[in-house]
Each structure stands twice: as structure tokens, then as C-alpha cells.
Amino acid sequence: MAKIFCVANQKGGVGKTTTTVNLSAGLAKLNQRVLLVDLDPQGNATMGAGINKAGLAASTYEVMLGTSDVATARQRSESGRFDVLPANRELAGAEVEMVELDNREKRLKNALATVDGDYDFILIDCPPALSMLTLNGLCAAHGVIIPMQCEYYALEGLSDLVNTIKKVHANLNQDLKIIGLLRVMFDPRMTLSQQVSAQLEQHFGDKVFKTIIPRNVRLAEAPSYGMPGVTFDPSSKGAQAYIAFGAEMVKRIKTM
Ligand code: ATP
Ligand code: MG
């Protein structure tokens, strides 16, 4: 049985996709079988895993609408050594088209159930919105990983996300919990980063992951080569941090 995690934060550009792609590659390095689900019409995770999002034969879109299945639509990220359920802008249409369908919050959950035995981890890259797509991610998952930048506005909006997760837990998915907050793009030279980081630890205790992902240009360069940072430059500080985060997640799921 795969453990399924959403990487979610409705704020844009906080490192969701970088985290999903590099955690997938980090887990693969630890011999875990991983499926990355691209649930964002931007298709950034698809591209970052080295898969061309233009002209996909089948994608998350078809899977959500039930005109294809995960086993058909998934592709291999050779650079990352994990599987990808790819997405592109077509997926934006699913949001509207699903309104007509039964059980529309659980389309992804039901689709993933068919490949559950093939993986140790399924990681879902959510779009920057609390939309029907994100709701499908939350309904499919056992837990949520929330990447956060340690900046002044970091906590703003967090309560909306936490409330949404609570509602989904109460009404749609009793398995769902917040696994943890991941500090990303961390700059240890900034006093503010240190302060916000300490505040997060104070407020959220062991819900804050021990691993901290530093700001590292190699992580930002890697997608243009169609590679996760973890494989693009394995010795870089960013890659090392995501591999450590993979190890922390493997340890975490043993206690879940
Ligand atoms: P969106 O909300 O648009 O989906 P996102 O939350 O998925 O965005 P990313 O695309 O992962 O965020 O990251 C935003 C930008 O920051 C990208 O250009 C990415 O390369 C860069 N970035 C992410 N993490 C790091 C890091 N640790 N160090 C340096 N750059 C980073
Ligand atoms: Mg993204």
C-alpha cells in the first residue's frame, strides 16, 4: 500500500513543485518506488521531471474525467527514476467539466487506488489554489506536506489552508493529517529567516520537519535541463537537503 502525500500551499511560488520533484528523486535514491502526480495545469512538475508536457497522449486530465487510467497515462522520469502522471493546461478544463460528475472530490482517489500496490510513495503536486483540483488531492492523501518560506508573510494564509484540511478531514477524508511544515528557500544569513523559523517551531512543534531546504541556485537551474536538482547536481546543498528530507519521510511513515 502506497502512502499518499499532497504537497500543498495555496500561495504561489513557495516551492511546492521543487519539493515534489526533488522529494520524489530523493526517495527514489533511497530505493523507494515513487509516483509523482502532477495536479497543476502549469505542468511544471512534469517538465521538471524531464517529460514534455506538450502533446501528452494521456494525462491527469483524462484520468480525472475517467477517459484514461493511471496505468496508461503514467510515464517514466528517466532522470529522476520515478513514475509521473503528467499534466498540462488541459487540466484546467477538468475543474469545470467535473462539476457534472458524481463523486467529484474523489476522482483522483479512486484513480490512484488502481496502482496503489505499485508504489511506496505517491506524491501529489498541487496548484496554488484551494480549488476542486486541490480538493481532489486532499481527498486522495494520507497527509499534507506544506512548504513554507521563512519570510514575514509566511503565516498569512496558512490558517485558510489548515481550515480547509480540517474540513476535508471532518467531511471527506478521515485519514488526512498535516504531516509537516517544510522550511524551504532558507537563507541562514537572514535574521528574519532565523526568527520566522524559530516562530514556526514554537507554534507547530514536531509538525515542523527537522530538515531545512536552503536557497540553492542549483535547484532552480535543474528544471531547464529536465532534471530534478537531486540528480542534476547530487553534491549541491539543495540536493543533499532533499535527500535528507527523503530519509526523514521514510522514517516518518514508519510511525504513521
Ligand atoms: P506555483 O505556486 O506556481 O506552483 P511552486 O510553489 O510550485 O509555484 P516552485 O515552482 O517550486 O514553487 O518554486 C518557485 C521558484 O523558486 C522556482 O523558480 C524555483 O526554481 C525556485 N526555487 C524553489 N525552491 C528553491 C530553492 N530551495 N532554492 C532556490 N530556488 C528555489
Ligand atoms: Mg508548482
Side-chain angles (χ1 to χ4, degrees):
M1 272 262 291
K3 283 286 177 205
I4 307 178
F5 299 107
C6 267
V7 179
N9 189 330
Q10 78 277 24
K11 274 197 178 189
V14 294
K16 293 179 287 296
T17 300
T18 305
T19 295
T20 315
V21 170
N22 284 287
L23 177 58
S24 295
L27 288 168
K29 265 195 194 276
L30 301 169
N31 295 317
Q32 302 294 304
R33 299 166 304 160
V34 181
L35 172 68
L36 184 163
V37 176
D38 194 346
L39 196 55
D40 185 345
Q42 296 182 94
N44 292 342
T46 300
M47 295 295 279
I51 294 163
N52 188 357
K53 68 181 176 184
L56 296 169
S59 67
T60 309
Y61 171 72
E62 282 83 5
V63 168
M64 299 284 281
L65 291 180
T67 55
S68 185
D69 53 37
V70 183
T72 309
R74 67 186 164 191
Q75 294 194 37
R76 186 74 177 164
S77 165
E78 297 300 339
S79 58
R81 295 203 293 123
F82 52 83
D83 285 353
V84 179
L85 180 58
N88 57 26
R89 54 192 300 193
E90 274 189 13
L91 184 58
E95 193 86 42
V96 179
E97 289 161 54
M98 279 191 312
V99 171
E100 312 262 292
L101 302 177
D102 294 339
N103 244 338
R104 59 179 184 274
E105 305 88 359
K106 301 213 171 144
R107 309 286 301 181
L108 184 64
K109 179 190 172 76
N110 295 337
L112 292 178
T114 61
V115 295
D116 197 56
D118 298 351
Y119 302 103
D120 301 302
F121 284 88
I122 299 178
L123 301 179
I124 304 170
D125 186 29
C126 289
L130 294 172
S131 59
M132 183 52 70
L133 287 170
T134 297
L135 191 58
N136 261 269
L138 295 174
C139 284
H142 300 110
V144 190
I145 296 167
I146 306 174
M148 298 193 65
Q149 277 177 264
C150 291
E151 57 179 29
Y152 184 64
Y153 292 113
L155 293 171
E156 198 161 292
L158 185 61
S159 58
D160 291 337
L161 179 59
V162 170
N163 284 334
T164 301
I165 292 168
K166 277 188 186 152
K167 274 190 210 151
V168 173
H169 173 85
N171 301 311
L172 293 162
N173 176 10
Q174 291 198 341
D175 288 343
L176 189 69
K177 42 170 129 9
I178 295 175
I179 305 300
L181 305 177
L182 178 67
R183 291 164 284 183
V184 299
M185 299 189 227
F186 190 78
D187 184 350
R189 291 163 307 182
M190 276 178 64
T191 314
L192 181 64
S193 288
Q194 302 277 11
Q195 284 171 348
V196 175
S197 171
Q199 255 178 14
L200 284 177
E201 281 174 346
Q202 249 170 28
H203 279 282
F204 297 97
D206 62 2
K207 287 275 181 212
V208 181
F209 289 110
K210 292 203 173 59
T211 310
I212 297 178
I213 311 296
R215 187 172 283 284
N216 179 246
V217 69
R218 303 300 269 169
L219 291 172
E221 288 168 350
S224 61
Y225 297 87
M227 291 171 89
V230 162
T231 35
F232 175 62
D233 186 355
S235 63
S236 64
K237 286 211 164 110
Q240 291 291 318
Y242 274 113
I243 294 166
F245 182 44
E248 188 174 354
M249 281 301 294
V250 170
K251 220 162 118 189
R252 270 290 167 114
I253 65 163
K254 289 191 180 134
T255 61
M256 273 179 77

